[in-house]
Amino acid sequence: MVLTILQILQVLIQAVSFVVLVQVILSMLVAFNVINTYNETVRAIYQGLNKGTEPLYRPFRRILPDFGQIDLAPFALLVTLNILSAIVLPRLMLWYIGASPL
């Protein structure tokens, strides 16, 4: 049961990482005017991704210094998610099955 929950967390971390990457790429495309938000579909996707990722960025924005136009919150979030995915969850799995001390 616990291993299944940890595997589900692993998949959720991967999904959130993908959404953050899509949001970063889309915001760069909008910022460089490659695509514009006059199209209702683009605007809806853009606003939906911003509303979905903003609560995840907020704690990082409070900690990180202000760099003006450069937002490092997505990068910090991706680093945190990768640390959770590559280090923390595998150690919890090994600890649970008794193969390694925590």
Side-chain angles (χ1 to χ4, degrees), residues 10-25:
Q10 185 84 12
V11 170
L12 288 175
I13 288 172
Q14 290 173 353
V16 169
S17 296
F18 178 75
V19 169
V20 168
L21 285 173
V22 169
Q23 190 270 338
V24 167
I25 291 169

Side-chain angles (χ1 to χ4, degrees), residues 47-95:
Q47 289 175 346
L49 287 173
N50 281 341
K51 287 181 182 179
T53 56
E54 186 60 33
L56 299 173
Y57 296 156
R58 207 171 296 135
F60 294 102
R61 286 187 178 136
R62 274 188 252 138
I63 296 170
L64 293 171
D66 186 19
F67 289 107
Q69 293 294 327
I70 300 172
D71 187 15
L72 295 178
F75 176 71
L77 177 62
L78 287 174
V79 168
T80 304
L81 291 174
N82 283 331
I83 289 171
L84 283 174
S85 177
I87 298 171
V88 176
L89 286 179
R91 286 185 186 235
L92 284 175
M93 287 181 191
L94 288 175
W95 173 75

